[in-house]
Amino acid sequence: MERINAEIEDVARRLREGMAGGVLSFPLTSFRDDGSLDLESYRTYLTAQVATAPGAVFPACGTGEFSALDEDEYRAVVEATVEVVDGRLPVVAGIGYGWAQALRFARIAEEAGADALLVLPHYLVGAPQEGLVEQLRRIAAGTRLALIAYQRGQVAFTAESVRRIAEIPTVIGLKDGHSDLDRLQRLTLAAPDGFLFFNGAATAEIQARAYATVGVPAYSSAVHAFAPEIADACFSALRDGDDAAVNKLLRDFYVPLVELRDRVPGYAVSLVKAAARLRGLPVGPVRAPLTDPDPADLGDLEKILDDGLSLVGAVRRRTA
């Protein structure tokens, strides 16, 4: 038990250090045009992501289309991630559904060499607080890996529940996707010192300053998946308190991107993948039930992307 506790503490330390130095990378999963997993292309894409030195890598999560992967594909993605990262960054794999199925993915991730797990919201049903806590207890009982809870959709913890999940030895943090800052402030105050909190809003940079005011400066960045130059420039400006630079990036890139994202359900992932393809990155299409952007939206995305890159002195690689 002491060895496991030391491993958990080390993962939490590495994540804390990574969060302070960069955005959290949630890589896309590469598929071929026929919908099959393209592992070679994923390795190429991920290598470029890791080269930008994010704070940590979260494979097979929401942006990586976790819910579209079968268990064999999931294993291949996590194994490839661990191999490419090669110990340079923490690898936090996504798991989800009910606790029994989540444990199947957890064991695969553990065998593949992941450092920790992000527990995505369970499938479909609402649940009382006792059930949300018990879900994490059961997952924790079946894996030695550190766990980060993710509240979004039907999952929303109370302050008392955060106190209870923080007592589970392997639960080290909470990712928030609700953006209810009043509630989030109560959660951060209820948690013990050292408990990790992450801003997991759909386009986290839009709300990064607001999250920081309640003690949650760390965030995941979907933009990093296709334009790490923009994501890193925004992170640096936020860290340095350069409000003028942050406002320009928000006004001229992030807000137009969010407005385009809100046009169609699923665009939070589909637009990210389309933007990556516009840069020549080998990620392929999304899998159903998601759909790729229509031509008009793709044209708008192209302009937004070019505008954003020009703001940070970068150029999109044109493709044939």
Side-chain angles (χ1 to χ4, degrees):
M1 180 61 72
E2 288 183 3
R3 180 182 62 81
I4 292 175
N5 288 343
E7 290 175 354
I8 298 298
E9 290 173 4
D10 184 60
V11 170
R13 176 191 59 78
R14 293 175 64 205
L15 279 168
R16 188 176 297 106
E17 292 173 354
M19 290 157 51
V23 299
L24 305 175
S25 171
F26 282 65
L28 298 156
T29 300
S30 299
F31 299 122
R32 299 183 182 89
D33 288 341
D34 65 2
S36 60
L37 178 66
D38 188 346
L39 203 58
E40 182 178 352
S41 291
Y42 175 72
R43 290 176 186 272
T44 299
Y45 164 73
L46 184 63
T47 298
Q49 284 278 294
V50 172
T52 66
V57 177
F58 289 67
C61 292
T63 306
E65 297 179 77
F66 165 77
S67 63
L69 300 174
D70 66 27
E71 292 182 14
D72 290 338
E73 292 170 331
Y74 176 85
R75 180 184 297 275
V77 168
V78 178
E79 287 178 343
T81 304
V82 170
E83 182 180 332
V84 169
V85 170
D86 193 25
R88 289 171 288 176
L89 302 166
V91 173
V92 185
I95 61 172
Y97 307 112
W99 65 264
Q101 184 63 48
L103 271 177
R104 292 176 65 93
F105 284 104
R107 288 163 186 155
I108 291 169
E110 186 172 334
E111 292 167 1
D115 298 297
L117 303 167
L118 178 66
V119 183
L120 303 170
H122 63 267
Y123 173 69
L124 190 60
V125 297
Q129 292 295 307
E130 181 59 40
L132 298 180
V133 174
E134 183 63 17
Q135 165 95 334
L136 286 171
R137 283 195 185 122
R138 287 181 176 267
I139 294 171
T143 177
R144 64 176 181 80
L145 295 183
L147 302 178
I148 299 168
Y150 187 5
Q151 63 169 18
R152 193 186 190 97
Q154 71 270 34
V155 176
F157 292 99
T158 63
E160 177 57 27
S161 291
V162 166
R163 291 189 191 97
R164 293 170 68 191
I165 67 173
E167 292 174 352
I168 302 170
T170 55
V171 176
I172 63 172
L174 176 72
K175 181 182 179 185
D176 175 71
H178 285 295
S179 304
D180 181 340
L181 297 183
D182 179 284
R183 184 186 190 98
L184 184 59
Q185 180 70 91
R186 297 167 192 262
L187 302 189
T188 62
L189 294 172
D193 291 343
F195 197 74
L196 305 177
F197 284 90
F198 308 81
N199 167 1
T203 303
E205 287 90 343
I206 289 284
Q207 301 183 64
R209 284 186 292 199
Y211 268 81
T213 64
V214 295
V216 186
Y219 60 89
S220 57
S221 174
V223 169
H224 188 274
F226 65 87
E229 306 96 324
I230 300 173
D232 289 345
C234 191
F235 179 87
S236 295
L238 286 162
R239 179 194 58 203
D240 298 341
D242 188 345
D243 286 338
V246 173
N247 287 340
K248 187 166 184 59
L249 284 165
L250 294 181
R251 184 184 304 111
D252 296 342
F253 172 73
Y254 283 98
V255 168
L257 180 66
V258 167
E259 290 175 347
L260 178 57
R261 180 201 71 198
D262 289 346
R263 289 182 191 175
V264 177
Y267 264 18
V269 175
S270 300
L271 286 180
V272 173
K273 222 166 194 187
R277 292 196 300 272
L278 286 171
R279 301 207 70 189
L281 298 171
V283 296
V286 293
R287 274 183 172 175
L290 300 179
T291 58
D292 289 316
D294 65 33
D297 291 342
L298 193 60
D300 290 342
L301 176 63
E302 187 172 8
K303 181 180 185 308
I304 292 167
L305 176 59
D306 284 342
D307 288 347
L309 291 170
S310 69
L311 290 173
V312 299
V315 178
R316 174 169 60 90
R317 193 183 83 181
R318 304 265 174 191
T319 59

